[in-house]
Amino acid sequence: MKTTPFAGRITTALLISCLMLPQTLWAQDPAAMGREGAVDENPNGFAMLGDFVVARPIGLLLTVGGTALWLVSLPFTMLAGNAGDAADNLILGPGEQTFMRCLGCRQSGYTYSDIDQYEARKAAQASE
């Protein structure tokens, strides 16, 4: 099979972009470097878009794949007595990162910001 130089360049560019994509997604902005343990609760639009397009589908695939792997390994993990630990690592970990995290946030867990905004709006309407 004969390849053209153009196809080789496209393949090289695609390979480089695939290798660089995780690094660009995990890179921290310089402003975040100063606040080491801070949770970014107000992500920008690009972070939300990247999370929706890249991280959530990967998390869903990891959750489904972890469930399948847990089911396959269930007889062995039950004999060893650590089926719960395996479920925590293979199913609940990726599921928490996929479903219990605000869009664009880096830390999992609920933010309750919608509830706080609703209560503030309700209090403002009651005072009027």
Side-chain angles (χ1 to χ4, degrees), residues 88-119:
D88 287 342
N89 290 328
L90 294 174
I91 300 170
L92 297 178
E96 181 179 345
Q97 287 295 320
T98 304
F99 299 111
M100 293 182 55
R101 186 170 45 89
C102 70
L103 195 61
C105 291
R106 295 178 180 158
Q107 300 272 334
S108 62
Y110 293 111
T111 60
Y112 301 108
S113 63
D114 292 333
I115 295 171
D116 294 338
Q117 289 175 0
Y118 173 73
E119 289 175 354

Side-chain angles (χ1 to χ4, degrees), residues 20-83:
M20 294 299 292
L21 180 66
Q23 294 176 1
T24 58
L25 291 175
W26 290 327
Q28 291 185 355
D29 57 316
M33 292 290 193
R35 3 174 254 271
E36 284 297 320
V39 177
D40 188 15
E41 293 297 332
N42 296 319
N44 61 14
F46 292 113
M48 289 182 181
L49 180 68
D51 190 16
F52 181 73
V53 173
V54 177
R56 298 296 168 119
I58 290 174
L60 184 63
L61 288 174
L62 286 174
T63 304
V64 170
T67 304
L69 187 61
W70 180 75
L71 286 173
V72 169
S73 68
L74 187 61
F76 308 109
T77 56
M78 286 186 72
L79 287 173
N82 59 354

